[in-house]
Amino acid sequence: GAVVSQHPSRVICKSGTSVKIECRSLDFQATTMFWYRQFPKKSLMLMATSNEGSKATYEQGVEKDKFLINHASLTLSTLTVTSAHPEDSSFYICSAQTSGRPDTQYFGPGTRLTVL
Amino acid sequence: SQQGEEDPQALSIQEGENATMNCSYKTSINNLQWYRQNSGRGLVHLILIRSNEREKHSGRLRVTLDTSKKSSSLLITASRAADTASYFCATDPYGNNRLAFGKGNQVVVIP
């Protein structure tokens, strides 16, 4: 149980295009989802927290107009990287949390974004 | 800034040996968690230790927590090649599940 999927697993796009990454909780309802980014050989950095049906809360230094987050249902959150540039290339990981286990986050497998 | 910070050294050990990693953090915490990440993959939750606990075991994993020193250690006993991964500690400095991850410690277990 507690499986989180991400789609796509890898994406390559041209500079200036927008890319949407989906995060789904497959067998539980995720009241809260989190988005992280990870640079090579670095740690995860929290980008934003999203609760179903409400606006995402962004961490300091994260551009909300650049990284659009939508959490339209209890099983789906999307991260859209708008007008992507090479410096946006990174590994994006989502996690999901259920109200029944507030101390635990279940992580997705990550999405590798490469912007040419 | 990251609240949890492991020692940056990578660790390379022979199969069967024990692997120990350390983590330090800066703020008061309710709990501290350890995660494993295989190369290019997501994170797997290993163990959570609460602030009122000093030691916790889970299979071959042993975690200690010293809140006076704001530090934690993760011990993997009788390591296996499959334990090769990066290990991160994470704290919840704000108490709202906004996790702060440490730098990670890469462990290579040589068969």
Side-chain angles (χ1 to χ4, degrees), chain A residues 17 28 38 41 54-55 61 63 68 73 85 94 103 112:
Chain A
T17 61
F28 66 100
Q38 183 180 30
K41 297 188 178 180
S54 61
K55 290 185 178 180
E63 301 175 57
L68 301 179
S73 76
H85 291 282
C94 72
D103 288 339
R112 174 76 60 192

Side-chain angles (χ1 to χ4, degrees), chain A residues 53-100:
Chain A
S54 61
K55 290 185 178 180
T57 302
Y58 291 80
E59 295 299 309
Q60 189 173 6
V62 179
E63 301 175 57
K64 56 183 66 177
D65 293 332
K66 173 77 170 175
F67 300 100
L68 301 179
I69 292 172
N70 182 275
H71 193 162
S73 76
L74 285 172
T75 59
L76 173 65
S77 176
T78 60
L79 167 67
T80 301
V81 183
T82 63
S83 186
H85 291 282
E87 58 265 29
D88 298 324
S89 298
S90 189
F91 193 55
Y92 292 88
I93 305 175
C94 72
S95 70
Q97 176 186 300
T98 180
S99 58

Side-chain angles (χ1 to χ4, degrees), chain B residues 11-21 35-39 46 58-61 74-88 105-111:
Chain B
L11 184 63
S12 183
I13 57 175
Q14 294 290 329
E15 199 166 32
E17 294 180 340
N18 296 340
T20 301
M21 289 151 273
Y35 290 84
R36 183 185 76 226
Q37 183 182 34
N38 291 92
S39 181
L46 295 177
S58 177
R60 294 183 295 112
L61 304 180
L74 171 67
L75 168 69
I76 304 173
T77 61
S79 64
R80 305 167 182 170
D83 294 328
T84 295
S86 292
Y87 293 84
F88 296 88
N105 202 328
Q106 186 173 5
V107 174
V108 175
V109 181
I110 303 168

Side-chain angles (χ1 to χ4, degrees), chain B residues 61-76:
Chain B
L61 304 180
R62 172 178 170 258
V63 169
T64 63
L65 179 64
D66 187 334
T67 53
S68 66
K69 296 181 180 178
K70 289 185 166 58
S71 67
S72 174
S73 70
L74 171 67
L75 168 69
I76 304 173

Side-chain angles (χ1 to χ4, degrees), chain A residues 9-13 19 21 67 81 84-86 88-92 111-115:
Chain A
S9 58
R10 290 178 178 271
V11 57
I12 300 172
C13 69
V19 175
I21 302 170
F67 300 100
V81 183
H85 291 282
D88 298 324
S89 298
S90 189
F91 193 55
Y92 292 88
T111 296
R112 174 76 60 192
L113 170 63
T114 303
V115 185

